[in-house]
Amino acid sequence: MAAAPQAQTVNVTINGVELAVPSGELVVESVKRLWLEVPVFCYHPRMKPVGMCRMCLVEVGFKQPDGSVRMMPKPQAGCTLPASEGMVVLTDSESVHRDRKGVLEFLLINHPLDCPICDRGGECPLQNNTMAYGPSTTRFIEIKRHLPKAFPLSKYVTLDLERCIQCGRCVRFTEEISGDADLAFRFRGAEMQPSTFQLTDFESKFSGNVIEICPVGALTSAKYRFRARPWDLEAAPAVCTLTPCGTNVWLDHRAGRLVRINGRTNEEVNEEWTSDRTKFGHDFYNDPGRLTVPNVRDGDGFKPAAWGDVYDPILAAFAGGGDEVGMIVAPSLSNEALFLAQRLVRTVFGSENIDHRVSGPWVPRAESLRASGTDPVQSTIAELEHKSAVLVFGTGLADEQPMTFLRVRKGWFQRNMAVVAATPQKTEVDAFAAASLRYRPGTEATLAQGLADLAAGKGSASDVAAATGADQAQVEAAAKTLAGSGFAIVTTESLLTGEEGRRAAKILGEWAARAGGQFNCWPLHANSNGATELGALPDALPGFAPNERSGLDVRAMLQAAADGRLKALWLVGTDPLAEFPDRALAEKALETVPFLVVSHGLPVEACSYASVVLPMAFAAEQDGTYTSAERRVQRMRPALRAPGEAKPAWRIFSECLLRAKPMTPLFNPREVMDEIAQAVPAFAVARYDALPETGVVLRTGSGAGEPEPALAGETV
Ligand code: SF4
Ligand code: SF4
Ligand code: FES
């Protein structure tokens, strides 16, 4: 076997210390190897260096053959200078400190210095660098430049032009990372200002990131403005439960209220980025209407009840109900809650009627990808950037899988990876795709088969183009791009909504398996994979359905309720009136079912039909794990207190189980995970003591994670 190529190194001397660093590494990165720091503003390690601010000046020289060192006459920008053999770098000399002081004095000439009322105050690189390297007083007595304050770039991002140091990080982010190129510099020289073209709204789906990377308080969050100071905040690590990507975040909270969300670095998942859905979508934690106590119906209204009094009527309505009862669970509940939910339904209710697919698609297990031998999760997010080519098929990736979108774009931008977009409408991927296939809806399978054949050297591009409406030249280019192995296909479960899409998914899966590629049909919710693996399905994996029976999916449960065939229904963290595509059916179902339990954190519309309403804690208010689209299990710890008497879903189910069947109580999610690990061997790596901070990807492959039949169904 050939040895792995070694990165070429060069010998450099930094502040008198000799070391070997990779050839071409930027000096600002090389100094970090000695735990030294060169201050920067415009440099960002995930973007191309531009050398705009000059904050990173260092002295540089080169060793001469006679052993002497010849210094360069002027200081150099460490962020644009690659390390080379014999380089000598000084980061702490008198001259460097004088240069830094000069740069800061220059930047501060027109800076408003409104630190006491600036959201960045306390965590501002300009403040910090001025404290460390800047002048203690100013020599300027002239009137400062004045520019618009608090200009709303969008509903999320506010621009304070006076504070901008023109580093270009925000502009480069939209060009290099998100790709929407929504921001640019208008005007030149001292007038230069970051802005949208024509002063339109900054509409990027990733706009919140510029707030975090702006090295000053020029870009601030419209939602966070003036709500806290950094020293008031407690930051807790968390995982986003609004997208399927498992984005790692910091939840900044103050006095029990969530005030800000920032990206948390996980190189395997989101690097350090967030989507706006993640960054700005968690307001519900602070909703003043949060449910705080259990409520039971009292005529046309409700009356508060004690937890101890609500379980008996619930169990009386559901226990042993068999086919006449059912539970619909949110696909964002924790693994522990989903596992106990299905256990309660199967072992106490005697029913298979449990489902998490509130908005579909409701593919019966027999027709699923797994049943056809295709594992729907074959890649991780991180490995996508290293593929030879990626086919994005039938999904608006930036909306449905925002972190995957950024990773695919990174593969194209940094590694020249070829990307093929095949979607009925234009999406963000088209902007960098080597081939864009705009097909007619309903021709998905024809296109998938056509591409698979053409990539294998069969068929004709003109036939595929004629049958699907795609441009022939683009079809030819796509087939050429995907002809080898080493490619990955990315689609989402939204493709499975129609029969044609389901056929397309199978064809794509078979093509990838045949050609040595990878296929991914990723779900759309934070823990859909956990729900599938842990049996929150009416067509559960074999070990979860001991009688090999199938239950009712969400659509069938609502239909049964509407027809009067269901006597009790339990909604957990979900409201079909808002999420199920057929609102009329959902309304009829909730009106008709004789006994309805709604467990939720908010007084959603479904509560008005309920017999019992149970207040539920949200994800950041409890311990638990979540299985993301790439099947990465990540842990969440309680960051906030649940309001009032609200309880986590796993605890509600555990207490029901305890009342229905005497058992050893499960005191915490750690114990539930131990039970899961016994029932579903793939989850053994996710036991709390074994779970790394970056999460763990469950073993993939068809059938991986299927429980052992003897353990899964009846363990209580
Ligand atoms: S950007 Fe920094 S230095 Fe400028 S006002 Fe805000 S906190 Fe002060
Ligand atoms: S707004 Fe911030 S990130 Fe953008 S150029 Fe100005 S200082 Fe840099
Ligand atoms: S960080 Fe080097 S020039 Fe700005």
Side-chain angles (χ1 to χ4, degrees), residues 161-306:
L161 267 177
E162 286 182 351
R163 297 180 194 152
C164 175
I165 58 167
Q166 304 172 338
C167 72
R169 276 188 177 190
C170 56
V171 173
R172 282 145 59 213
F173 174 87
T174 67
E175 287 167 356
E176 297 182 24
I177 309 290
S178 65
D180 41 71
D182 255 16
L183 296 180
F185 276 123
R186 297 163 79 223
F187 314 124
R188 288 294 173 265
E191 305 292 309
M192 191 161 82
Q193 29 184 275
S195 165
T196 53
F197 297 100
Q198 312 275 334
L199 297 180
T200 50
D201 247 15
F202 176 29
E203 279 178 345
S204 169
K205 288 167 182 161
F206 303 92
S207 71
N209 294 288
V210 300
I211 298 166
E212 288 178 52
I213 60 173
C214 177
V216 292
L219 296 172
T220 50
S221 163
K223 289 195 166 206
Y224 171 69
R225 260 175 91 75
F226 305 135
R227 288 184 59 192
R229 308 297 293 175
W231 51 87
D232 295 335
L233 296 175
E234 282 182 70
V239 178
C240 167
T241 53
L242 294 181
T243 63
C245 309
T247 306
N248 286 214
V249 293
W250 290 108
L251 297 182
D252 287 348
H253 55 101
R254 175 181 188 249
R257 287 175 69 80
L258 178 64
V259 290
R260 181 172 72 169
I261 289 182
N262 279 340
R264 182 165 60 99
T265 301
N266 184 337
E267 298 296 345
E268 301 300 313
V269 182
N270 53 306
E271 299 190 300
E272 65 187 80
W273 311 122
T274 53
S275 65
D276 285 358
R277 261 167 85 194
T278 294
K279 192 171 173 74
F280 301 113
H282 289 77
D283 285 349
F284 54 86
Y285 279 97
N286 298 334
D287 194 300
R290 288 287 303 271
L291 297 172
T292 54
V293 287
N295 275 284
V296 294
R297 179 152 295 280
D298 183 22
D300 284 343
F302 290 94
K303 64 176 181 201

Side-chain angles (χ1 to χ4, degrees), residues 324-495:
E324 292 182 322
V325 302
M327 181 186 281
I328 300 174
V329 292
S332 54
L333 297 183
S334 68
N335 288 323
E336 293 76 0
L338 291 163
F339 178 73
L340 290 188
Q342 66 82 32
R343 179 183 278 183
L344 181 67
V345 170
R346 294 201 161 92
T347 64
V348 176
F349 300 176
S351 176
E352 291 296 322
N353 298 341
I354 177 167
D355 199 1
H356 67 279
R357 299 164 300 178
V358 191
S359 51
W362 302 284
V363 184
R365 178 161 169 75
E367 295 171 30
S368 68
L369 286 163
R370 276 189 163 197
S372 69
T374 300
D375 182 356
V377 183
Q378 296 178 7
S379 311
T380 60
I381 293 175
E383 70 186 299
L384 285 177
E385 74 178 80
H386 299 285
K387 306 311 290 183
S388 60
V390 168
L391 166 61
V392 177
F393 196 98
T395 166
L397 204 59
D399 290 307
E400 295 193 324
Q401 299 279 343
M403 292 305 118
T404 309
F405 168 79
L406 291 187
R407 202 60 86 123
V408 169
R409 192 176 185 285
K410 180 184 174 192
W412 165 77
F413 189 76
Q414 293 191 1
R415 300 177 196 277
N416 262 340
M417 184 177 80
V419 178
V420 174
T423 46
Q425 283 104 27
K426 196 166 189 277
T427 73
E428 290 81 356
V429 178
D430 289 298
F432 55 93
S436 291
L437 306 174
R438 198 80 336 104
Y439 59 80
R440 279 192 300 274
T443 62
E444 289 86 352
T446 312
L447 180 63
Q449 190 63 60
L451 283 177
D453 288 347
L454 288 168
K458 296 184 281 183
S460 121
S462 61
D463 290 351
V464 176
T468 61
D471 179 79
Q472 185 181 332
Q474 297 291 311
V475 173
E476 281 165 7
K480 201 167 151 206
T481 304
L482 299 165
S485 60
F487 65 91
I489 298 169
V490 178
T491 187
T492 62
E493 286 188 349
S494 54
L495 183 67

Side-chain angles (χ1 to χ4, degrees), residues 28 39-43 50-57 77-80:
V28 281
V40 298
F41 286 126
C42 68
Y43 174 71
V50 285
M52 283 172 80
C53 71
R54 318 313 282 175
M55 190 62 226
C56 61
L57 293 177
C79 73
T80 52

